[in-house]
Amino acid sequence: MNRIVLASTAALMSASVFAAPVTYKLDPTHTYPSFEADHLGGLSVWRGKFNATSGTVVYDKEAKSGSLDITVDMSSVDFGMPKLNEHAKSAEIFDVTKYPTATFSGKFTKFNGASPAEASGTFTMHGVSKPLTLTINSFLCKLNPMSKKEVCGADASATFNRSDFGVNFGDKYGFKQEVKLQIQVEGSPAA
């Protein structure tokens, strides 16, 4: 009987080791928040991305829980047009001297099986914090065949009104204030 109890205890302890949350550090070379914004009230859609992002994701597959803490360097904005990049960094738009980063801090709030399907939290940009929900369109963890290390990746999206954050350049010219985010992200377990 003692052997059965010991074996059961050992099995439970082993299971709890596998169920522990894992912290993933974002890979800045595979993580790019991109966005779409209106130009002149429907004339065209401007697209850009941010080239410098850092942060961590804590993921507990067994408990179906986790959290995200992401920081975007706003001076890394890239429309593919240097003059527009400089204007976006100016006080008229992002004011990166005064507000050098944007952040998202949240928790996984919905799952599809063991995979996160939604994250809700607080988005802070231009000194303003508001609730934001990210839809996680895809999520996968697997062994990277090149590095031979585990990597998790996701595609996430969200929509927000930039004027809610005090970034309302162009409103007097009829620019729509809605911004669509599309975020590609990858990370590996932190060392």
Side-chain angles (χ1 to χ4, degrees):
M1 184 66 143
N2 284 342
R3 286 185 207 185
I4 294 172
V5 171
L6 287 173
S8 297
T9 302
L12 285 172
M13 289 174 68
S14 295
S16 68
V17 169
F18 292 112
V22 177
T23 299
Y24 295 84
K25 183 177 178 185
L26 296 190
D27 178 349
T29 64
H30 287 86
T31 301
Y32 295 99
S34 61
F35 56 90
E36 296 181 0
D38 173 71
H39 184 240
L40 288 173
L43 185 62
S44 62
V45 176
W46 283 83
R47 292 177 177 88
K49 67 177 182 171
F50 292 93
N51 291 320
T53 303
S54 61
T56 57
V57 174
V58 177
Y59 173 49
D60 189 331
K61 180 179 178 180
E62 299 300 321
K64 293 185 181 179
S65 67
S67 61
L68 306 84
D69 285 295
I70 314 299
T71 300
V72 177
D73 177 351
M74 297 302 284
S75 68
S76 72
V77 65
D78 185 359
F79 283 96
M81 185 176 168
K83 190 172 181 177
L84 183 54
N85 295 347
E86 289 310 309
H87 184 225
K89 294 176 198 179
S90 77
E92 263 192 318
I93 302 180
F94 292 130
D95 196 359
V96 299
T97 301
K98 190 172 181 180
Y99 307 106
T101 62
T103 61
F104 178 80
S105 181
K107 297 192 178 299
F108 294 132
T109 48
K110 286 186 184 172
F111 279 75
N112 182 3
S115 297
E118 181 182 274
S120 294
T122 302
F123 178 51
T124 301
M125 180 177 73
H126 205 250
V128 178
S129 298
K130 299 273 185 185
L132 183 69
T133 297
L134 300 174
T135 299
I136 301 171
N137 304 303
S138 65
F139 183 91
L140 177 66
C141 294
K142 64 188 284 183
L143 189 67
N144 181 315
M146 292 177 276
S147 70
K148 306 294 186 222
K149 295 179 182 177
E150 181 191 30
V151 63
C152 291
D155 175 75
S157 57
T159 302
F160 67 92
N161 185 319
R162 63 186 174 91
S163 65
D164 290 345
F165 295 86
V167 182
N168 59 350
F169 177 80
D171 62 344
K172 64 184 174 187
Y173 302 114
F175 285 48
K176 297 174 189 171
Q177 299 297 295
E178 181 180 86
V179 174
K180 293 180 182 177
L181 294 177
Q182 203 61 42
I183 305 161
Q184 67 187 55
V185 57
E186 291 183 20
S188 297

